[in-house]
Amino acid sequence: MIELLQTNLLSPMVLSFFLGIIAVLLRSDLKFPDQTYTILSIYLLLAIGFKGGASISSCVITDILPSIGATLLAGVILPVLAFVLLKIFRYSRVDAAAMAAHFGSVSVITFIACSVFTESLGFKSGEYMTALVTILEVPAIVIALLLARPQVSIFQEISFILSSKSILLLLGGLLIGYLSGQTGLERIAPFFVTPFQGILVIFLLEMGLVAGQKLIETKALTPKLVLLSVLIPLINGVIGIYIAKLAKMGVGDATVFATMTASASYIAAPAAVRMAIPSANPALYISASLLIAFPFNLSLGIPLYHKIARLLILP
């Protein structure tokens, strides 16, 4: 387990994230232009969409149906479980639902980091997992928003989320990758495949700067929030591994799937919650997803889920 932690903690992606936090705490003048986050996130979302779509084009759809069903099951269970747990700890209905939307959804960057981690250990995950990211994102946010506003039409919520930037880029990339296939992916590989991990390092450095600034500004980091923001990912991660086992996923796919279920969205979910639940406290759901769950999963969670997946799946 210690070796797994070292492998992940010493990866360029994780180190660059913590470098960003340290830079802020040291009051460094390091900063990126305002549009950097938007440009890099567009690149990363399109890139994983292209690769996932191209991989699905060569798959027999019936082979991945169990994984799709497992993802839909997780998309229903996770936000409801998070909502109940948050209500037990006496958060208001709207704040509990807002945080449940984040914990039930998925962090694309954590997903990418886990894919790189498992591949480095020789447990490469299937490219079709990218499609599962999109599938998990939508139902979790919809259910959480309905928990906050039960009178709202489910069709309105789905329409709103599908038109959001992150979902549109993932779905669009998947469709383009699927239609153009491996041949099309090879044509854009010099831009969307080869430099991918280097771009991810820069993105996580920028995310570290954002997290460090939020850490200074917010006063929402209570012991209760910190505890729940670690406990819920751990519970969701273990549930994800059991669901992956039911879907007969291998260790690599199960690790990535568990990380998906354990991660908390800080791209799609905040945008949806900000629009749909304006009365929810942003300091709570941003702190929970970005300041606690994200670095926890990035550094400690991923190797832990991999260890559990190996114990439960390998004979």
Side-chain angles (χ1 to χ4, degrees):
M1 183 63 183
I2 294 177
E3 291 181 359
L4 291 177
L5 285 172
Q6 289 178 336
T7 299
N8 202 45
L9 288 172
L10 298 179
S11 70
M13 287 74 69
V14 174
L15 291 174
S16 64
F17 174 78
F18 287 110
L19 174 61
I21 293 179
I22 292 170
V24 174
L25 297 179
L26 293 176
R27 301 186 184 279
S28 168
D29 60 354
L30 174 63
K31 62 180 181 179
F32 287 87
D34 293 340
Q35 294 301 314
T36 300
Y37 174 84
T38 300
I39 294 170
L40 293 181
S41 62
I42 288 173
Y43 171 89
L44 292 172
L45 289 166
L46 270 178
I48 64 172
F50 288 155
K51 291 190 288 184
S55 70
I56 294 173
S57 69
S58 57
C59 286
V60 179
I61 194 65
T62 53
D63 291 344
I64 61 174
L65 280 178
S67 297
I68 293 174
T71 305
L72 291 172
L73 177 64
V76 173
I77 293 174
L78 301 181
V80 173
L81 179 62
F83 178 79
V84 170
L85 191 56
L86 289 160
K87 285 292 292 176
I88 290 173
F89 277 80
R90 299 184 181 280
Y91 283 100
S92 69
R93 183 184 188 90
V94 292
D95 285 333
M99 286 189 280
H102 290 68
F103 285 121
S105 187
V106 58
S107 161
V108 176
I109 304 305
T110 310
F111 160 77
I112 298 170
C114 183
S115 299
V116 173
F117 171 78
T118 54
E119 186 172 354
S120 72
L121 296 178
F123 292 93
K124 182 176 173 61
S125 59
E127 293 285 359
Y128 75 94
M129 297 296 289
T130 304
L132 303 188
V133 172
T134 307
I135 293 170
L136 182 60
E137 188 97 71
V138 176
I141 297 177
V142 169
I143 289 172
L145 296 186
L146 289 173
L147 287 170
R149 308 187 308 167
Q151 74 280 6
V152 176
S153 166
I154 188 172
F155 299 106
Q156 289 180 326
E157 299 292 8
I158 292 174
S159 175
F160 172 76
I161 293 167
L162 289 178
S163 64
S164 67
K165 177 177 65 178
S166 58
I167 299 297
L168 193 62
L169 286 168
L170 277 174
L171 286 175
L174 277 168
L175 181 60
I176 294 170
Y178 178 78
L179 294 175
S180 58
Q182 290 294 337
T183 302
L185 183 63
E186 289 172 5
R187 294 169 63 183
I188 59 174
F191 184 76
F192 279 106
V193 178
T194 304
F196 183 84
Q197 292 192 29
I199 298 294
L200 180 58
V201 167
I202 297 173
F203 182 82
L204 282 171
L205 174 59
E206 204 271 346
M207 288 300 300
L209 293 172
V210 173
Q213 191 60 44
K214 293 287 185 183
L215 188 62
I216 292 174
E217 293 174 355
T218 185
K219 296 180 180 179
L221 287 177
T222 62
K224 179 173 70 170
L225 185 67
V226 173
L227 172 65
L228 288 169
S229 299
V230 172
L231 181 61
I232 293 175
L234 285 172
I235 294 172
N236 287 355
V238 173
I239 290 173
I241 292 171
Y242 275 102
I243 292 176
K245 185 176 181 180
L246 289 175
K248 301 188 183 303
M249 295 185 190
V251 173
D253 285 354
T255 302
V256 173
F257 187 78
T259 301
M260 286 165 52
T261 59
S263 65
S265 171
Y266 51 81
I267 298 176
V273 167
R274 191 181 303 119
M275 292 288 291
I277 319 176
S279 58
N281 184 357
L284 290 175
Y285 56 76
I286 293 296
S287 297
S289 61
L290 180 59
L291 297 186
I292 308 170
F294 179 61
F296 169 75
N297 281 321
L298 199 64
S299 55
L300 302 176
I302 291 173
L304 178 61
Y305 309 138
H306 178 72
K307 181 70 173 179
I308 297 173
R310 291 189 66 174
L311 289 173
L312 291 179
I313 292 177
L314 287 181

